[in-house]
Short mmCIF file of all heavy atoms in Angstrom, two decimals:
data_model
loop_
_atom_site.label_atom_id
_atom_site.label_comp_id
_atom_site.label_asym_id
_atom_site.label_seq_id
_atom_site.Cartn_x
_atom_site.Cartn_y
_atom_site.Cartn_z
N MET U 1 16.02 -21.45 -5.10
CA MET U 1 15.68 -20.25 -4.34
C MET U 1 14.40 -19.63 -4.90
O MET U 1 14.27 -19.43 -6.10
CB MET U 1 16.85 -19.26 -4.43
CG MET U 1 16.62 -18.00 -3.68
SD MET U 1 18.14 -16.99 -3.77
CE MET U 1 17.61 -15.61 -2.87
N VAL U 2 13.48 -19.32 -4.03
CA VAL U 2 12.22 -18.74 -4.42
C VAL U 2 12.41 -17.24 -4.67
O VAL U 2 13.07 -16.55 -3.89
CB VAL U 2 11.15 -18.96 -3.33
CG1 VAL U 2 9.86 -18.27 -3.70
CG2 VAL U 2 10.92 -20.43 -3.10
N GLN U 3 11.83 -16.77 -5.76
CA GLN U 3 11.91 -15.34 -6.05
C GLN U 3 10.73 -14.62 -5.43
O GLN U 3 9.64 -15.16 -5.33
CB GLN U 3 11.92 -15.10 -7.55
CG GLN U 3 13.18 -15.61 -8.22
CD GLN U 3 13.19 -15.28 -9.70
OE1 GLN U 3 12.16 -15.20 -10.33
NE2 GLN U 3 14.38 -15.08 -10.23
N ALA U 4 10.97 -13.39 -5.02
CA ALA U 4 9.91 -12.56 -4.47
C ALA U 4 9.66 -11.39 -5.41
O ALA U 4 10.53 -10.98 -6.15
CB ALA U 4 10.30 -12.05 -3.09
N HIS U 5 8.46 -10.89 -5.35
CA HIS U 5 8.06 -9.74 -6.16
C HIS U 5 7.92 -8.56 -5.21
O HIS U 5 7.28 -8.66 -4.17
CB HIS U 5 6.76 -10.04 -6.88
CG HIS U 5 6.86 -11.28 -7.71
ND1 HIS U 5 7.44 -11.29 -8.95
CD2 HIS U 5 6.53 -12.56 -7.44
CE1 HIS U 5 7.43 -12.52 -9.43
NE2 HIS U 5 6.88 -13.30 -8.52
N LYS U 6 8.54 -7.45 -5.57
CA LYS U 6 8.65 -6.32 -4.65
C LYS U 6 8.27 -5.01 -5.34
O LYS U 6 8.64 -4.76 -6.48
CB LYS U 6 10.09 -6.23 -4.14
CG LYS U 6 10.36 -5.07 -3.22
CD LYS U 6 11.81 -5.07 -2.79
CE LYS U 6 12.13 -3.85 -1.95
NZ LYS U 6 13.55 -3.80 -1.58
N LEU U 7 7.54 -4.18 -4.62
CA LEU U 7 7.27 -2.81 -5.03
C LEU U 7 7.73 -1.92 -3.90
O LEU U 7 7.29 -2.07 -2.78
CB LEU U 7 5.78 -2.57 -5.28
CG LEU U 7 5.47 -1.10 -5.53
CD1 LEU U 7 4.93 -0.89 -6.92
CD2 LEU U 7 4.51 -0.56 -4.50
N ASP U 8 8.64 -1.03 -4.21
CA ASP U 8 9.12 -0.04 -3.24
C ASP U 8 8.56 1.30 -3.69
O ASP U 8 9.03 1.89 -4.65
CB ASP U 8 10.65 -0.03 -3.23
CG ASP U 8 11.21 0.92 -2.18
OD1 ASP U 8 10.45 1.72 -1.62
OD2 ASP U 8 12.43 0.85 -1.94
N CYS U 9 7.52 1.75 -3.02
CA CYS U 9 6.81 2.95 -3.46
C CYS U 9 7.68 4.20 -3.41
O CYS U 9 7.44 5.14 -4.13
CB CYS U 9 5.54 3.14 -2.62
SG CYS U 9 4.37 4.26 -3.38
N GLU U 10 8.71 4.20 -2.58
CA GLU U 10 9.59 5.36 -2.49
C GLU U 10 10.23 5.68 -3.85
O GLU U 10 10.53 6.82 -4.15
CB GLU U 10 10.66 5.13 -1.44
CG GLU U 10 11.49 6.37 -1.17
CD GLU U 10 12.45 6.19 0.00
OE1 GLU U 10 12.77 5.04 0.35
OE2 GLU U 10 12.85 7.19 0.56
N ALA U 11 10.42 4.66 -4.68
CA ALA U 11 10.98 4.88 -6.01
C ALA U 11 10.03 5.69 -6.89
O ALA U 11 10.46 6.42 -7.78
CB ALA U 11 11.29 3.55 -6.67
N ALA U 12 8.72 5.57 -6.64
CA ALA U 12 7.73 6.29 -7.44
C ALA U 12 7.28 7.59 -6.76
O ALA U 12 6.93 8.54 -7.43
CB ALA U 12 6.52 5.39 -7.68
N ALA U 13 7.26 7.60 -5.45
CA ALA U 13 6.81 8.77 -4.69
C ALA U 13 7.77 8.97 -3.52
O ALA U 13 7.75 8.20 -2.56
CB ALA U 13 5.39 8.56 -4.18
N ALA U 14 8.60 9.97 -3.60
CA ALA U 14 9.69 10.17 -2.64
C ALA U 14 9.22 10.26 -1.19
O ALA U 14 9.97 9.93 -0.28
CB ALA U 14 10.48 11.41 -3.01
N ASP U 15 7.99 10.66 -0.96
CA ASP U 15 7.51 10.83 0.41
C ASP U 15 6.76 9.61 0.95
O ASP U 15 6.18 9.65 2.02
CB ASP U 15 6.63 12.07 0.49
CG ASP U 15 5.39 11.97 -0.39
OD1 ASP U 15 5.39 11.15 -1.33
OD2 ASP U 15 4.44 12.73 -0.15
N CYS U 16 6.77 8.50 0.21
CA CYS U 16 6.04 7.30 0.62
C CYS U 16 7.02 6.17 0.89
O CYS U 16 7.83 5.82 0.05
CB CYS U 16 5.04 6.90 -0.45
SG CYS U 16 4.01 5.49 0.05
N ARG U 17 6.93 5.56 2.05
CA ARG U 17 7.85 4.50 2.45
C ARG U 17 7.20 3.11 2.36
O ARG U 17 7.72 2.15 2.91
CB ARG U 17 8.32 4.73 3.89
CG ARG U 17 8.97 6.05 4.11
CD ARG U 17 10.46 5.94 3.91
NE ARG U 17 11.16 7.13 4.35
CZ ARG U 17 11.71 7.98 3.51
NH1 ARG U 17 11.64 7.78 2.23
NH2 ARG U 17 12.34 9.04 3.96
N PHE U 18 6.09 2.99 1.65
CA PHE U 18 5.36 1.73 1.55
C PHE U 18 6.14 0.72 0.71
O PHE U 18 6.62 1.03 -0.36
CB PHE U 18 3.99 2.00 0.91
CG PHE U 18 3.07 0.82 0.89
CD1 PHE U 18 2.40 0.43 2.03
CD2 PHE U 18 2.86 0.11 -0.28
CE1 PHE U 18 1.53 -0.65 2.01
CE2 PHE U 18 2.00 -0.97 -0.31
CZ PHE U 18 1.34 -1.35 0.84
N ILE U 19 6.26 -0.51 1.23
CA ILE U 19 6.96 -1.58 0.51
C ILE U 19 6.09 -2.83 0.54
O ILE U 19 5.55 -3.20 1.59
CB ILE U 19 8.32 -1.90 1.15
CG1 ILE U 19 9.25 -0.70 1.03
CG2 ILE U 19 8.95 -3.12 0.49
CD1 ILE U 19 10.56 -0.86 1.78
N ILE U 20 5.96 -3.47 -0.60
CA ILE U 20 5.28 -4.75 -0.73
C ILE U 20 6.32 -5.77 -1.16
O ILE U 20 7.12 -5.49 -2.06
CB ILE U 20 4.19 -4.70 -1.82
CG1 ILE U 20 3.10 -3.72 -1.45
CG2 ILE U 20 3.62 -6.09 -2.07
CD1 ILE U 20 2.20 -3.39 -2.62
N GLN U 21 6.30 -6.93 -0.54
CA GLN U 21 7.16 -8.02 -1.00
C GLN U 21 6.42 -9.32 -0.78
O GLN U 21 5.96 -9.60 0.33
CB GLN U 21 8.50 -8.03 -0.27
CG GLN U 21 9.45 -9.06 -0.84
CD GLN U 21 10.88 -8.86 -0.38
OE1 GLN U 21 11.31 -7.73 -0.22
NE2 GLN U 21 11.57 -9.94 -0.16
N SER U 22 6.28 -10.09 -1.85
CA SER U 22 5.54 -11.35 -1.76
C SER U 22 6.12 -12.35 -2.75
O SER U 22 6.58 -11.96 -3.83
CB SER U 22 4.07 -11.10 -2.08
OG SER U 22 3.35 -12.32 -2.10
N GLU U 23 6.07 -13.62 -2.40
CA GLU U 23 6.46 -14.68 -3.33
C GLU U 23 5.37 -14.89 -4.38
O GLU U 23 5.61 -15.48 -5.43
CB GLU U 23 6.74 -15.97 -2.58
CG GLU U 23 7.97 -15.88 -1.71
CD GLU U 23 8.20 -17.12 -0.87
OE1 GLU U 23 7.42 -18.09 -0.99
OE2 GLU U 23 9.16 -17.11 -0.09
N ASN U 24 4.17 -14.40 -4.11
CA ASN U 24 3.03 -14.55 -5.01
C ASN U 24 2.88 -13.27 -5.84
O ASN U 24 2.50 -12.23 -5.31
CB ASN U 24 1.78 -14.83 -4.18
CG ASN U 24 0.55 -15.04 -5.01
OD1 ASN U 24 0.32 -14.35 -6.00
ND2 ASN U 24 -0.27 -15.98 -4.60
N GLU U 25 3.17 -13.36 -7.14
CA GLU U 25 3.12 -12.17 -7.99
C GLU U 25 1.73 -11.55 -8.04
O GLU U 25 1.58 -10.33 -7.97
CB GLU U 25 3.59 -12.50 -9.41
CG GLU U 25 3.63 -11.27 -10.30
CD GLU U 25 4.03 -11.58 -11.72
OE1 GLU U 25 3.85 -12.74 -12.17
OE2 GLU U 25 4.52 -10.67 -12.39
N ALA U 26 0.70 -12.36 -8.15
CA ALA U 26 -0.67 -11.84 -8.22
C ALA U 26 -1.02 -11.07 -6.95
O ALA U 26 -1.66 -10.01 -7.02
CB ALA U 26 -1.66 -12.98 -8.45
N GLU U 27 -0.60 -11.58 -5.81
CA GLU U 27 -0.86 -10.90 -4.55
C GLU U 27 -0.12 -9.55 -4.51
O GLU U 27 -0.69 -8.54 -4.11
CB GLU U 27 -0.40 -11.76 -3.38
CG GLU U 27 -0.58 -11.07 -2.04
CD GLU U 27 -0.01 -11.89 -0.89
OE1 GLU U 27 1.13 -12.37 -0.98
OE2 GLU U 27 -0.75 -12.04 0.10
N ALA U 28 1.14 -9.53 -4.93
CA ALA U 28 1.93 -8.31 -4.93
C ALA U 28 1.30 -7.26 -5.84
O ALA U 28 1.20 -6.08 -5.48
CB ALA U 28 3.36 -8.59 -5.36
N VAL U 29 0.85 -7.67 -7.02
CA VAL U 29 0.22 -6.74 -7.96
C VAL U 29 -1.07 -6.19 -7.38
O VAL U 29 -1.34 -4.98 -7.45
CB VAL U 29 -0.02 -7.42 -9.33
CG1 VAL U 29 -0.92 -6.57 -10.22
CG2 VAL U 29 1.31 -7.69 -10.02
N GLU U 30 -1.89 -7.04 -6.78
CA GLU U 30 -3.16 -6.60 -6.20
C GLU U 30 -2.93 -5.61 -5.05
O GLU U 30 -3.60 -4.57 -4.97
CB GLU U 30 -3.97 -7.81 -5.71
CG GLU U 30 -5.36 -7.46 -5.26
CD GLU U 30 -6.25 -6.92 -6.38
OE1 GLU U 30 -6.04 -7.27 -7.55
OE2 GLU U 30 -7.16 -6.13 -6.07
N LEU U 31 -1.99 -5.91 -4.18
CA LEU U 31 -1.68 -5.00 -3.08
C LEU U 31 -1.14 -3.67 -3.60
O LEU U 31 -1.48 -2.60 -3.09
CB LEU U 31 -0.67 -5.64 -2.12
CG LEU U 31 -1.19 -6.82 -1.30
CD1 LEU U 31 -0.04 -7.52 -0.60
CD2 LEU U 31 -2.24 -6.37 -0.31
N ALA U 32 -0.30 -3.73 -4.63
CA ALA U 32 0.25 -2.51 -5.21
C ALA U 32 -0.84 -1.67 -5.85
O ALA U 32 -0.87 -0.45 -5.68
CB ALA U 32 1.32 -2.87 -6.25
N LYS U 33 -1.75 -2.31 -6.59
CA LYS U 33 -2.86 -1.58 -7.21
C LYS U 33 -3.71 -0.88 -6.15
O LYS U 33 -4.07 0.29 -6.30
CB LYS U 33 -3.76 -2.54 -8.02
CG LYS U 33 -3.21 -2.88 -9.36
CD LYS U 33 -4.05 -3.92 -10.07
CE LYS U 33 -5.42 -3.40 -10.43
NZ LYS U 33 -6.17 -4.35 -11.28
N ASN U 34 -4.02 -1.59 -5.08
CA ASN U 34 -4.83 -1.01 -4.01
C ASN U 34 -4.12 0.16 -3.36
O ASN U 34 -4.72 1.21 -3.11
CB ASN U 34 -5.18 -2.07 -2.96
CG ASN U 34 -6.14 -3.10 -3.48
OD1 ASN U 34 -6.82 -2.90 -4.48
ND2 ASN U 34 -6.17 -4.25 -2.84
N HIS U 35 -2.84 0.01 -3.08
CA HIS U 35 -2.06 1.09 -2.46
C HIS U 35 -2.01 2.31 -3.37
O HIS U 35 -2.25 3.43 -2.91
CB HIS U 35 -0.65 0.61 -2.13
CG HIS U 35 0.24 1.73 -1.68
ND1 HIS U 35 0.15 2.29 -0.42
CD2 HIS U 35 1.21 2.43 -2.33
CE1 HIS U 35 1.03 3.27 -0.32
NE2 HIS U 35 1.69 3.36 -1.46
N MET U 36 -1.68 2.10 -4.63
CA MET U 36 -1.56 3.24 -5.56
C MET U 36 -2.89 3.98 -5.69
O MET U 36 -2.91 5.21 -5.74
CB MET U 36 -1.09 2.76 -6.94
CG MET U 36 0.32 2.24 -6.92
SD MET U 36 1.49 3.49 -6.43
CE MET U 36 2.89 3.04 -7.39
N HIS U 37 -3.98 3.24 -5.71
CA HIS U 37 -5.31 3.87 -5.83
C HIS U 37 -5.70 4.58 -4.54
O HIS U 37 -6.08 5.75 -4.56
CB HIS U 37 -6.35 2.82 -6.19
CG HIS U 37 -7.74 3.37 -6.24
ND1 HIS U 37 -8.20 4.11 -7.31
CD2 HIS U 37 -8.75 3.31 -5.36
CE1 HIS U 37 -9.45 4.48 -7.07
NE2 HIS U 37 -9.80 4.01 -5.88
N ASP U 38 -5.61 3.87 -3.42
CA ASP U 38 -6.09 4.41 -2.15
C ASP U 38 -5.23 5.55 -1.61
O ASP U 38 -5.76 6.52 -1.08
CB ASP U 38 -6.16 3.31 -1.09
CG ASP U 38 -7.18 2.23 -1.43
OD1 ASP U 38 -8.03 2.45 -2.32
OD2 ASP U 38 -7.11 1.14 -0.81
N VAL U 39 -3.93 5.46 -1.75
CA VAL U 39 -3.03 6.43 -1.15
C VAL U 39 -2.64 7.54 -2.12
O VAL U 39 -2.58 8.71 -1.75
CB VAL U 39 -1.76 5.73 -0.59
CG1 VAL U 39 -0.77 6.74 -0.05
CG2 VAL U 39 -2.15 4.75 0.50
N HIS U 40 -2.41 7.17 -3.39
CA HIS U 40 -1.89 8.14 -4.35
C HIS U 40 -2.92 8.58 -5.40
O HIS U 40 -2.63 9.45 -6.21
CB HIS U 40 -0.65 7.58 -5.05
CG HIS U 40 0.46 7.26 -4.09
ND1 HIS U 40 1.16 8.23 -3.41
CD2 HIS U 40 0.96 6.07 -3.68
CE1 HIS U 40 2.06 7.65 -2.63
NE2 HIS U 40 1.94 6.33 -2.75
N GLY U 41 -4.11 7.96 -5.38
CA GLY U 41 -5.16 8.34 -6.32
C GLY U 41 -4.82 8.02 -7.76
O GLY U 41 -5.33 8.65 -8.68
N LYS U 42 -3.96 7.01 -7.97
CA LYS U 42 -3.55 6.64 -9.33
C LYS U 42 -4.01 5.21 -9.60
O LYS U 42 -3.95 4.35 -8.74
CB LYS U 42 -2.03 6.71 -9.47
CG LYS U 42 -1.48 8.10 -9.30
CD LYS U 42 0.02 8.12 -9.46
CE LYS U 42 0.56 9.52 -9.24
NZ LYS U 42 2.03 9.56 -9.34
N ASP U 43 -4.49 5.02 -10.83
CA ASP U 43 -4.92 3.68 -11.23
C ASP U 43 -3.95 3.13 -12.26
O ASP U 43 -3.64 3.80 -13.25
CB ASP U 43 -6.33 3.73 -11.81
CG ASP U 43 -7.37 4.05 -10.74
OD1 ASP U 43 -7.30 3.44 -9.66
OD2 ASP U 43 -8.24 4.89 -11.00
N TYR U 44 -3.46 1.93 -12.02
CA TYR U 44 -2.55 1.26 -12.92
C TYR U 44 -3.15 -0.07 -13.32
O TYR U 44 -3.84 -0.71 -12.53
CB TYR U 44 -1.21 0.96 -12.22
CG TYR U 44 -0.36 2.17 -11.96
CD1 TYR U 44 -0.43 2.85 -10.75
CD2 TYR U 44 0.55 2.61 -12.91
CE1 TYR U 44 0.37 3.95 -10.50
CE2 TYR U 44 1.35 3.72 -12.67
CZ TYR U 44 1.26 4.38 -11.47
OH TYR U 44 2.05 5.47 -11.23
N THR U 45 -2.84 -0.51 -14.53
CA THR U 45 -3.21 -1.87 -14.93
C THR U 45 -2.18 -2.83 -14.34
O THR U 45 -1.09 -2.41 -13.93
CB THR U 45 -3.23 -2.02 -16.46
OG1 THR U 45 -1.89 -1.87 -16.96
CG2 THR U 45 -4.15 -1.00 -17.12
N ASP U 46 -2.51 -4.09 -14.33
CA ASP U 46 -1.56 -5.10 -13.86
C ASP U 46 -0.26 -5.02 -14.66
O ASP U 46 0.83 -5.08 -14.10
CB ASP U 46 -2.16 -6.50 -13.98
CG ASP U 46 -3.31 -6.73 -13.02
OD1 ASP U 46 -3.71 -5.79 -12.29
OD2 ASP U 46 -3.82 -7.86 -12.99
N ASP U 47 -0.39 -4.90 -15.98
CA ASP U 47 0.80 -4.86 -16.84
C ASP U 47 1.65 -3.62 -16.57
O ASP U 47 2.88 -3.70 -16.59
CB ASP U 47 0.40 -4.90 -18.32
CG ASP U 47 -0.13 -6.27 -18.73
OD1 ASP U 47 0.22 -7.27 -18.06
OD2 ASP U 47 -0.89 -6.33 -19.71
N GLU U 48 1.03 -2.47 -16.33
CA GLU U 48 1.79 -1.26 -16.02
C GLU U 48 2.58 -1.44 -14.72
O GLU U 48 3.75 -1.08 -14.65
CB GLU U 48 0.85 -0.05 -15.87
CG GLU U 48 0.30 0.45 -17.17
CD GLU U 48 -0.74 1.54 -16.98
OE1 GLU U 48 -1.49 1.51 -15.98
OE2 GLU U 48 -0.80 2.43 -17.84
N LEU U 49 1.95 -2.01 -13.72
CA LEU U 49 2.65 -2.24 -12.46
C LEU U 49 3.81 -3.22 -12.64
O LEU U 49 4.90 -2.98 -12.13
CB LEU U 49 1.69 -2.76 -11.39
CG LEU U 49 0.81 -1.71 -10.75
CD1 LEU U 49 -0.25 -2.35 -9.89
CD2 LEU U 49 1.63 -0.73 -9.95
N ARG U 50 3.56 -4.29 -13.37
CA ARG U 50 4.62 -5.27 -13.59
C ARG U 50 5.81 -4.65 -14.32
O ARG U 50 6.96 -4.88 -13.96
CB ARG U 50 4.10 -6.46 -14.38
CG ARG U 50 3.30 -7.42 -13.57
CD ARG U 50 2.91 -8.66 -14.39
NE ARG U 50 2.03 -9.50 -13.64
CZ ARG U 50 0.70 -9.51 -13.80
NH1 ARG U 50 0.12 -8.74 -14.68
NH2 ARG U 50 -0.04 -10.31 -13.07
N SER U 51 5.55 -3.89 -15.36
CA SER U 51 6.65 -3.38 -16.18
C SER U 51 7.31 -2.14 -15.59
O SER U 51 8.51 -1.93 -15.78
CB SER U 51 6.16 -3.09 -17.61
OG SER U 51 5.23 -2.02 -17.60
N GLU U 52 6.58 -1.30 -14.87
CA GLU U 52 7.11 -0.03 -14.40
C GLU U 52 7.55 -0.02 -12.94
O GLU U 52 8.44 0.74 -12.58
CB GLU U 52 6.07 1.07 -14.60
CG GLU U 52 5.71 1.32 -16.05
CD GLU U 52 4.57 2.31 -16.21
OE1 GLU U 52 4.34 3.12 -15.30
OE2 GLU U 52 3.91 2.26 -17.27
N HIS U 53 6.94 -0.85 -12.10
CA HIS U 53 7.19 -0.70 -10.66
C HIS U 53 7.58 -1.98 -9.92
O HIS U 53 8.21 -1.92 -8.88
CB HIS U 53 5.96 -0.09 -9.98
CG HIS U 53 5.60 1.25 -10.50
ND1 HIS U 53 6.36 2.37 -10.25
CD2 HIS U 53 4.58 1.66 -11.29
CE1 HIS U 53 5.81 3.42 -10.85
NE2 HIS U 53 4.74 3.01 -11.49
N LEU U 54 7.18 -3.12 -10.43
CA LEU U 54 7.43 -4.37 -9.71
C LEU U 54 8.82 -4.92 -10.04
O LEU U 54 9.19 -4.98 -11.21
CB LEU U 54 6.35 -5.39 -10.08
CG LEU U 54 5.98 -6.42 -9.04
CD1 LEU U 54 5.43 -5.76 -7.79
CD2 LEU U 54 4.95 -7.38 -9.58
N GLN U 55 9.54 -5.28 -9.02
CA GLN U 55 10.87 -5.88 -9.19
C GLN U 55 10.83 -7.33 -8.74
O GLN U 55 10.05 -7.70 -7.87
CB GLN U 55 11.90 -5.16 -8.32
CG GLN U 55 12.00 -3.69 -8.52
CD GLN U 55 12.82 -3.03 -7.40
OE1 GLN U 55 13.20 -3.67 -6.43
NE2 GLN U 55 13.08 -1.75 -7.55
N THR U 56 11.66 -8.15 -9.34
CA THR U 56 11.82 -9.52 -8.87
C THR U 56 13.13 -9.59 -8.12
O THR U 56 14.17 -9.21 -8.65
CB THR U 56 11.81 -10.51 -10.06
OG1 THR U 56 10.59 -10.34 -10.79
CG2 THR U 56 11.92 -11.94 -9.58
N VAL U 57 13.06 -10.01 -6.87
CA VAL U 57 14.26 -10.05 -6.02
C VAL U 57 14.53 -11.44 -5.50
O VAL U 57 13.68 -12.29 -5.50
CB VAL U 57 14.14 -9.07 -4.83
CG1 VAL U 57 14.12 -7.65 -5.34
CG2 VAL U 57 12.92 -9.35 -4.00
#
């Protein structure tokens, strides 16, 4: 079974319903970084996103 990498922004920002899910971890991290910067004005490193926000499902 292939694992997917998921970021559910609602867990970090209650008013945001943005969800990323991808089998490609690098793609999920890049999309999450762009979303966090563009929508929430926050910059995260790849490692911060992986450890704090990205789930493997």
Side-chain angles (χ1 to χ4, degrees):
M1 181 175 179
V2 176
Q3 292 183 329
H5 304 279
K6 178 181 176 183
L7 172 116
D8 184 348
C9 197
E10 188 173 21
D15 62 340
C16 184
R17 303 268 191 251
F18 187 77
I19 296 173
I20 296 166
Q21 186 165 324
S22 176
E23 293 176 2
N24 182 319
E25 183 182 25
E27 177 185 49
V29 168
E30 188 64 29
L31 291 169
K33 280 175 66 172
N34 291 341
H35 171 76
M36 293 299 214
H37 176 78
D38 295 345
V39 176
H40 300 291
K42 296 180 182 178
D43 291 314
Y44 289 93
T45 66
D46 292 3
D47 289 336
E48 287 173 326
L49 282 171
R50 282 185 186 99
S51 66
E52 296 174 23
H53 300 289
L54 210 61
Q55 305 167 354
T56 303
V57 293

